[in-house]
Amino acid sequence: MVKEKIKVENFNLYFKDKKVLNNINLSIFENKVTAIIGPSGCGKSTLIRSFNRMNDFYNAKVDGKIIFDGININDRNIDLSNLRTKIGMVFQKPNPFPFSIYDNVAFGLKVKGINDKSFIDEKVVKSLKDVWLYDEIKDRLFDSAMSLSGGQQQRLCIARALANDPEVLLLDEPTSALDPKSTQKIEELLEVLKKKLTIIIVTHNIAQAGRISDYTLFIYLGEIVEFGETKKMFTAPENKKTEEYITGIFG
Amino acid sequence: MRKFKEFSFEFFIYLSTLITIISLFIFLIPIFKNGYKGIFPEFLFTFPKNGMTEGGIFPAIVGTFYLTILSTFFSFPVGIITAIYLAEYGKPKFLVDMIRTSISTLSGIPSIIFGLFGLSFFVVRFSLEVSLLSGSLTLAILSLPIIIRSVEESLKSVPVTFKEAAYSLGCSKFETIYKVSIPVAFPNILTSLILSIGRVAGETAPIMFTAATLYSRRLPKSLSSEVMAIPYHIYGLVTEGVSPEKQIPIAYKSAFVLLLLVLIVNLSAIIIRQKLRRQRRW
Ligand SMILES: Nc1ncnc2c1ncn2[C@@H]1O[C@H](COP(=O)(O)OP(=O)(O)O)[C@@H](O)[C@H]1O
Ligand SMILES: [Mg+2]
């Protein structure tokens, strides 16, 4: 039985007067990977950034509901800091801070006000192990994160988000800047991570969505065209547009 | 034709560079040639004697040091906080516009006007007298625009992706600024601040009526003491006194010392930046 983790109801989003997301209704299921696909500019990033209110910085106006843990995260007075630790995010371009590897992973804990050194140490090591980075870098924990390769940096960013013990992990085209080998490693990693958390991933790469996701959401011009189980959507899409996109006729 | 254009363009670039370098040397050579002899240690560490015709410039070095450090004490906090406000908050618009107008006006004012302002405002209005305090405050105001602009630039050059990362990890705006923006911009901020020190150390006009005295046989004892300062000392040696043949060589030596100090400050700024940058590349 799948459990609903996030429910989106009649959600609209505007930048200035431009409607970027139109009447989104959607369920995100626990311990599943949901892929968001669609041609560029259709609103994938905007949608995934709606789950942790990252569009606030660009003065987005929203209406409708996004229910997470029983509360509507679009409410004015929710604790955004708390929301963003529960719903972590990884960005398109790896963006570790130009601090040490250790400080990157410990960052979220310190923001939370945790000072217990041994707790932080443990958590840093565990998070790095969770992304299979620990063995590669265990003797240079205090080197700059900038010395890592692109793929390692992206896994470090995942570790940095994991250190907050999120329930949901948002990834916006996390592998689009990486080589195939690093990409594969991250795909395998997500396969393991979904046992513990719920994953939403935007991807430009349709094959990737097919490989790693349980559910797929196809959006076009800010609207949901089709949403359903990946297996079904990739074998027998209901919508003509979906079929065209998946088979590469447009995009 | 195109080749010719390209050639003449490059030619002018090289010519301009050459002119710059030559001017620098024309400017530096006489000071170095006439100033380097007998600097260490007597000249640096003794008091002036017999009017200003003999002895060293110890109190002027100390005075310049005090003036500079004290002025940073006022200018750094105000400058840094204003820069953070401009770079990171930038609202409401009318306040930002007001600050920007003030900064550009301030930076266009000749330094002698700062001196007169300091005289009427700090020295007379606030009865601070001609003192270390009045001079430092005047210098602080003079250096504010430079500090604000360069610190703001440093903060603005922090990639927005770092800030997004901070927010996505639960930071508030304030936490993002002091846990990410400032640490990331730190090498550049530090360099800007040190460079502004070098700038302040060499100013003459702002301290002429507010802090400096031509001749002192004691070191400044408190904030309300008058102080000697190297740039004003040079000015005095050249324009006042009765034995220019003895004073001019001392002026050269003093100029040499001042240049050396400023060069050391600027060089340390560059070295510190290089060092810190190497640790954090992105
Ligand atoms: N901060 C913003 N301000 C105004 N318009 C934006 C902003 N971000 C995105 N948009 C617009 O919203 C639409 C969707 O963009 P985005 O979500 O980035 O698409 P995708 O990730 O699918 O490529 C685009 O038309 C884009 O121009
Ligand atoms: Mg995008």
Side-chain angles (χ1 to χ4, degrees):
Chain A
M1 219 353 235
V2 287
K3 203 177 139 219
E4 203 171 52
K5 187 74 190 169
I6 301 177
K7 191 168 179 62
V8 184
E9 290 175 356
N10 306 323
F11 180 71
N12 299 294
L13 186 145
Y14 311 78
F15 285 121
K16 299 238 169 63
D17 292 326
K18 188 175 154 205
K19 195 168 192 178
V20 174
L21 293 175
N22 187 16
N23 194 31
I24 305 290
N25 287 281
L26 171 71
S27 292
I28 302 291
F29 298 107
E30 193 163 60
N31 301 112
K32 301 287 175 198
V33 175
T34 303
I36 303 175
I37 59 170
S40 71
C42 70
K44 302 182 297 296
S45 295
T46 307
L47 177 60
I48 201 170
R49 292 163 68 94
S50 300
F51 295 114
N52 63 346
R53 294 266 302 263
M54 289 294 280
N55 293 313
D56 284 21
F57 304 109
Y58 303 103
N59 304 314
K61 279 208 294 285
V62 300
D63 52 53
K65 289 183 182 168
I66 297 180
I67 312 282
F68 168 68
D69 275 355
I71 54 165
N72 178 9
I73 66 165
N74 289 333
D75 273 349
R76 229 165 221 297
N77 48 9
I78 69 147
D79 179 351
L80 280 176
S81 171
N82 182 41
L83 173 72
R84 292 189 185 130
T85 50
K86 285 190 178 156
I87 302 187
M89 182 165 231
V90 174
F91 298 81
Q92 184 165 358
K93 189 168 159 280
N95 59 353
F97 300 121
F99 310 151
S100 72
I101 294 169
Y102 179 97
D103 284 341
N104 266 277
V105 185
F107 187 88
L109 301 171
K110 289 186 178 161
V111 168
K112 272 191 197 162
I114 296 169
N115 288 317
D116 182 350
K117 175 103 172 46
S118 61
F119 177 83
I120 296 179
D121 285 353
E122 230 169 82
K123 199 81 200 174
V124 168
V125 171
K126 172 149 195 327
S127 305
L128 288 171
K129 281 184 175 162
D130 283 348
V131 298
W132 309 329
L133 200 54
Y134 186 71
D135 289 333
E136 292 165 44
I137 51 100
K138 61 171 177 284
D139 1 286
R140 45 189 185 119
L141 276 178
F142 296 96
D143 283 8
S144 170
M146 298 299 156
S147 66
L148 300 177
S149 73
Q152 290 176 323
Q153 287 188 11
Q154 196 61 304
R155 278 185 286 143
L156 176 65
C157 290
I158 297 174
R160 182 174 67 180
L162 291 181
N164 273 340
D165 284 326
E167 295 169 27
V168 179
L169 189 62
L170 310 171
L171 304 106
D172 189 353
E173 303 196 32
T175 60
S176 67
L178 305 182
D179 60 274
K181 217 165 157 218
S182 308
T183 298
Q184 191 192 349
K185 200 148 199 174
I186 286 183
E187 288 181 6
E188 286 165 8
L189 177 60
L190 295 180
E191 204 59 42
V192 175
L193 289 177
K194 80 171 184 184
K195 296 194 178 107
K196 283 183 292 185
L197 36 75
T198 305
I199 293 173
I200 307 178
I201 179 172
V202 169
T203 175
H204 215 83
N205 179 336
I206 296 162
Q208 182 174 60
R211 279 195 300 271
I212 64 173
S213 72
D214 304 294
Y215 292 87
T216 298
L217 170 69
F218 172 50
I219 51 179
Y220 184 61
L221 300 176
E223 295 192 31
I224 296 185
V225 175
E226 190 164 343
F227 172 60
E229 284 186 50
T230 302
K231 262 195 229 115
K232 182 168 170 300
M233 195 187 290
F234 276 66
T235 48
E238 277 170 14
N239 192 293
K240 189 98 184 61
K241 201 112 214 159
T242 314
E243 186 175 344
E244 285 174 4
Y245 185 70
I246 290 176
T247 52
I249 293 173
F250 84 104
Chain B
M1 193 55 208
R2 186 158 170 179
K3 261 235 153 78
F4 174 74
K5 264 193 193 156
E6 227 162 74
F7 173 78
S8 50
F9 183 64
E10 276 186 21
F11 175 77
F12 279 111
I13 290 180
Y14 287 127
L15 188 68
S16 316
T17 315
L18 201 66
I19 291 174
T20 311
I21 293 173
I22 289 175
S23 330
L24 182 68
F25 276 97
I26 291 178
F27 169 77
L28 287 180
I29 284 170
I31 295 178
F32 276 72
K33 207 174 74 192
N34 296 308
Y36 78 95
K37 267 180 273 155
I39 294 286
F40 199 80
E42 322 87 78
F43 189 71
L44 294 180
F45 295 113
T46 56
F47 284 69
K49 277 185 292 209
N50 282 342
M52 290 187 288
T53 57
E54 285 172 42
I57 53 164
F58 186 57
I61 293 175
V62 172
T64 288
F65 180 75
Y66 283 170
L67 277 170
T68 318
I69 295 304
L70 195 61
S71 85
T72 64
F73 210 76
F74 301 116
S75 61
F76 283 6
V78 177
I80 292 170
I81 288 170
T82 310
I84 292 174
Y85 172 74
L86 290 177
E88 304 284 346
Y89 291 88
K91 268 189 274 187
K93 197 172 174 309
F94 80 91
L95 191 57
V96 171
D97 289 346
M98 216 159 76
I99 296 175
R100 288 206 192 284
T101 313
S102 314
I103 295 171
S104 48
T105 313
L106 273 183
S107 64
I109 294 175
S111 58
I112 185 73
I113 308 293
F114 282 97
L116 291 171
F117 163 78
L119 173 66
S120 69
F121 196 68
F122 298 123
V123 177
V124 179
R125 190 53 145 0
F126 282 90
S127 315
L128 295 178
E129 309 289 315
V130 173
S131 64
L132 184 52
L133 187 58
S134 298
S136 309
L137 286 166
T138 311
L139 286 173
I141 296 178
L142 172 106
S143 60
L144 265 184
I146 316 170
I147 293 174
I148 294 172
R149 280 207 180 124
S150 52
V151 174
E152 185 188 358
E153 278 312 307
S154 315
L155 285 169
K156 281 194 165 160
S157 68
V158 174
V160 65
T161 54
F162 291 160
K163 297 181 194 174
E164 280 190 327
Y167 284 120
S168 79
L169 291 163
C171 281
S172 64
K173 175 149 198 162
F174 180 68
E175 287 165 335
T176 302
I177 293 170
Y178 94 95
K179 292 197 160 136
V180 175
S181 299
I182 293 178
V184 170
F186 187 70
N188 287 335
I189 293 178
L190 194 66
T191 314
S192 320
L193 295 179
I194 297 176
L195 288 176
S196 83
I197 291 178
R199 176 74 206 284
V200 163
E203 284 289 346
T204 316
I207 54 171
M208 210 142 82
F209 320 121
T210 57
T213 177
L214 278 180
Y215 186 58
S216 167
R217 313 225 316 191
R218 268 168 295 148
L219 294 179
K221 278 209 297 280
S222 71
L223 291 182
S224 55
S225 311
E226 292 186 316
V227 291
M228 283 184 70
I230 310 173
Y232 188 55
H233 188 59
I234 297 169
Y235 170 80
L237 287 165
V238 178
T239 58
E240 318 226 336
V242 286
S243 35
E245 73 288 350
K246 286 185 185 160
Q247 288 174 212
I248 299 291
I250 299 181
Y252 269 117
K253 284 190 196 170
S254 308
F256 179 74
V257 173
L258 182 59
L259 261 177
L260 218 57
L261 285 177
V262 173
L263 281 178
I264 289 170
V265 168
N266 290 0
L267 212 63
S268 66
I270 294 166
I271 292 170
I272 289 174
R273 179 170 54 187
Q274 292 300 343
K275 249 197 140 102
L276 289 175
R277 276 218 182 132
R278 205 163 307 135
Q279 290 166 14
R280 21 182 87 171
R281 210 182 275 285
W282 64 84

